[in-house]
Amino acid sequence: MSKIPVFIDCDPGADDILALLLACNMPQLDVVGISTLCGNVEGDKTFINAKKTVGVIGKDIPIYRGADSPMFRELITGKNVHGEDGMGGIASEIPTPNINDNSEKAWDAIYREAKAHNGELVLVAVGPMTNVAIALAKYKELPSLLKKIVIMGGSAAYGNVTPSAEFNIYVDPEAAQILFKCGAPIYMLGLDATEKAVLLPEDIEKIGAMTSNQAKFAYAILKNTMDFYIAHGHAGNCMHDPCAVLYIAYPEIFTGKPAGICVETKASITRGKTVCDMYTDIKFGFENAYVMTDVDRDALAEKIIEIIGNY
Ligand code: BDR
Ligand code: CA
């Protein structure tokens, strides 16, 4: 089976870490690079968290550092979900491997890998879209070099960080607007699907019974963020970022449809809203993304448990 080359841009971040653990162990995917940026926590911490995660995975995957701030705005973090260290407080317990002191910047690595893979590379973005937007601004041919861009971000219906906006888009709306206008095929795993993609406490305990280092790490991360999700009315942990990597290999467990999307960059209450033209009578007149609206939760949980069980 030829594997799908994937480059993951992320801001680890608990669910980013789970996405990395899954992607690097899915038999269908070849993770050719990881880039990091500020988002859930500051850029120096997300870079170290990615290194620690790759250290636990035990594979030689290059990691590139990217933006330390959004394009035009002050950074807003997600420490209320992910903790001060981005790992729910356990970062100091995970060794930082002496690997990957890579000086190439995220946007340059994304472009170089896209070129090297002759139109086959899937770019996954599960943090704010800053690194991707810089790559798109710097390399005009990038959209034509990518197979697709799969993002966790946005929502057709409602927000999480505000009533209007999902966190990744809210943090850097201008970057997200550049992404949605770029012309590459975009697949959006927004809150409409990812808030239904819940790992229930009983699913998490199945992972807790596993003995590999990666499973123990995944379990610790899941346990540390469970209280937040339960306190906010979810039945378990939302698998926001894992949805993006699972979608690449298992699109059949998701439901969606094409839509026109614009990002609100001017307003304050609706800052970062992904205005999705899905239900309107008179349409925008363009469709620039495929928007996932639902997921088969049981199938998703089964896949996650199966992949982690094979670590
Ligand atoms: C998104 O925001 C971040 O906190 C998560 O890592 C995920 O990418 C969910 O809104
Ligand atoms: Ca993220």
Side-chain angles (χ1 to χ4, degrees):
M1 178 177 65
S2 76
K3 293 190 173 200
I4 302 166
V6 170
F7 192 107
I8 302 178
D9 186 62
C10 58
D11 62 334
D15 57 327
D16 302 75
I17 290 170
L18 295 167
L20 292 175
L21 288 170
L22 291 166
C24 294
N25 286 283
M26 285 162 64
Q28 303 90 340
L29 308 187
D30 176 19
V31 180
V32 299
I34 295 167
S35 55
T36 62
L37 79 165
C38 63
N40 287 322
V41 289
E42 296 83 357
D44 54 341
K45 294 179 191 166
T46 60
F47 182 59
I48 288 175
N49 291 349
K51 276 187 167 190
K52 287 175 186 274
T53 304
V54 168
V56 176
I57 294 167
K59 288 190 179 164
D60 189 16
I61 301 171
I63 307 170
Y64 309 92
R65 194 167 160 179
D68 282 325
S69 72
M71 293 185 98
F72 305 110
R73 302 180 188 246
E74 293 294 309
L75 175 64
I76 293 160
T77 65
K79 291 179 181 175
N80 59 322
V81 189
H82 303 267
E84 189 62 40
D85 64 359
M87 275 199 193
I90 62 162
S92 60
E93 297 164 30
I94 313 293
T96 307
N98 193 17
I99 50 164
N100 277 309
D101 278 323
N102 228 309
S103 60
E104 189 178 12
K105 298 301 286 185
W107 34 89
D108 296 326
I110 289 169
Y111 173 69
R112 182 181 47 70
E113 289 290 350
K115 239 181 146 173
H117 285 89
N118 296 320
E120 291 306 311
L121 187 71
V122 176
L123 176 58
V124 180
V126 294
M129 303 300 148
T130 321
N131 284 349
V132 177
I134 294 172
L136 290 166
K138 186 167 178 185
Y139 300 106
K140 298 296 179 208
E141 61 170 329
L142 180 59
S144 65
L145 297 174
L146 292 167
K147 181 92 176 170
K148 56 178 89 151
I149 305 178
V150 182
I151 69 160
M152 189 286 133
S155 167
Y158 50 80
N160 56 2
V161 68
T162 73
S164 310
E166 181 280 327
F167 177 81
N168 289 337
I169 310 300
Y170 181 80
V171 170
D172 198 340
E174 287 78 12
Q177 179 67 330
I178 290 171
L179 165 87
F180 281 111
K181 281 182 152 178
C182 80
I186 296 172
Y187 294 79
M188 174 174 131
L189 282 298
L191 299 176
D192 316 272
T194 67
E195 288 205 342
K196 294 174 190 143
V198 164
L199 268 196
L200 299 171
E202 56 263 37
D203 301 319
I204 293 171
E205 286 317 309
K206 286 185 189 158
I207 295 168
M210 297 173 188
T211 53
S212 74
N213 278 347
Q214 291 192 70
K216 284 184 191 160
F217 184 37
Y219 180 67
I221 292 285
L222 286 162
K223 288 294 273 185
N224 283 353
T225 45
M226 187 146 88
D227 288 351
F228 170 84
Y229 287 113
I230 303 278
H232 285 79
H234 300 286
N237 292 43
C238 295
M239 295 291 97
H240 297 297
D241 294 350
C243 278
V245 297
L246 289 164
Y247 176 74
I248 302 167
Y250 309 107
E252 68 281 0
I253 67 175
F254 295 88
T255 309
K257 59 179 178 176
I261 297 184
C262 294
V263 180
E264 178 56 79
T265 58
K266 302 279 186 255
S268 74
I269 294 177
T270 51
R271 163 183 169 171
K273 180 175 175 63
T274 43
V275 180
C276 289
D277 194 358
M278 294 183 83
Y279 307 109
T280 329
D281 292 344
I282 299 168
K283 302 284 180 198
F284 280 162
F286 60 85
E287 287 171 346
N288 54 346
Y290 194 88
V291 179
M292 251 48 74
T293 53
D294 203 359
V295 60
D296 179 341
R297 191 226 72 93
D298 292 350
L300 177 120
E302 201 178 296
K303 292 286 178 212
I304 291 175
I305 292 165
E306 179 190 309
I307 297 162
I308 298 180
N310 289 334
Y311 285 175

